[in-house]
Amino acid sequence: MELWELEQEMDFVRAVQEAESAGVDFSEVSDDELRRQYLAGKDLRELSEKRAA
């Protein structure tokens, strides 16, 4: 794994952890879908809100 890939993965994990600590529930969202949305620059909180609706 290249350094930039490791940094990107760490940023992804950090973003998910921050959202979860703010009360966002990703229990209905797959890891792959979370990763795709993150890499596309989407707000992960919106993904959780759409699933809850």
Side-chain angles (χ1 to χ4, degrees):
M1 180 178 270
E2 297 288 328
L3 180 59
W4 66 269
E5 292 172 308
L6 182 58
E7 289 173 342
Q8 186 178 50
E9 183 68 16
M10 290 173 56
D11 289 342
F12 165 69
V13 170
R14 189 176 310 114
V16 170
Q17 288 176 336
E18 287 174 1
E20 288 179 331
S21 69
V24 177
D25 179 15
F26 294 120
S27 62
E28 299 294 321
V29 183
S30 72
D31 291 345
D32 289 338
E33 189 169 359
L34 273 173
R35 185 170 278 107
R36 279 194 303 272
Q37 294 297 319
Y38 176 77
L39 293 175
K42 305 286 183 176
D43 185 349
L44 298 180
R45 293 172 297 191
E46 292 178 8
L47 182 61
S48 176
E49 291 167 6
K50 288 178 186 173
R51 292 290 180 146

